[in-house]
Amino acid sequence: MRKYILGTLVGIFLVASLIPGIAWAQEEDGSITLELSRIFGFRFMNRIQGQYNFVVKGPEDLERVEILVDGEVAYEMTGEPFKIGFNTAEISPGEHSFSVVGYTQSGEILHAGAKQYTVLSAD
């Protein structure tokens, strides 16, 4: 029984000691993400309609971001928070690709993979 408890405690300690390292790697890898948060409207899987926010998260030295819709710059933001609202009525109904390009103070250019959403009409 003692060996089991000791083994369990050692396992918990090892896992707990790895968690800060994982979080550190995520903060320092220079990645950038684009999130879509609903303010008002409809969202089911990749189908959206209504008011949303684009929220961009990246490294601390991120100074400017461009949000692309179907490969074209639709929004640009400088300075935190990197958050901007949009209405799906501004975009034609159908499938669209949303992505982000970020620029850091050190001159690094970061890209987030495109996310596909189907924009529904207000009807």
Side-chain angles (χ1 to χ4, degrees):
M1 181 70 169
R2 277 188 166 176
K3 286 183 181 181
Y4 177 76
I5 293 172
L6 183 59
T8 302
L9 291 175
V10 169
I12 291 170
F13 175 77
L14 288 174
V15 170
S17 66
L18 290 175
I19 291 172
I22 293 169
W24 178 262
Q26 289 175 346
E27 289 175 12
E28 296 298 317
D29 72 354
S31 65
I32 188 170
T33 61
L34 175 63
E35 297 173 8
L36 190 63
S37 67
R38 182 179 59 200
I39 300 169
F40 177 80
F42 172 82
R43 181 175 184 177
F44 179 72
M45 298 179 69
N46 73 330
R47 294 179 172 98
I48 60 172
Q49 190 276 321
Q51 291 281 129
Y52 287 83
N53 278 325
F54 285 120
V55 181
V56 179
K57 296 182 180 178
E60 285 187 23
D61 68 337
L62 188 64
E63 66 179 0
R64 181 170 65 94
V65 298
E66 297 171 341
I67 296 175
L68 291 76
V69 178
D70 298 328
E72 300 291 325
V73 176
Y75 305 94
E76 187 173 342
M77 295 174 277
T78 56
E80 289 193 65
F82 295 107
K83 178 179 177 179
I84 190 167
F86 82 101
N87 190 320
T88 58
E90 300 169 4
I91 303 169
S92 63
E95 189 168 317
H96 295 280
S97 171
F98 297 89
S99 58
V100 65
V101 178
Y103 302 88
T104 65
Q105 293 170 353
S106 61
E108 189 176 3
I109 300 174
L110 307 171
H111 299 270
K115 294 182 179 186
Q116 303 294 323
Y117 289 99
T118 301
V119 174
L120 303 176
S121 70
D123 299 333

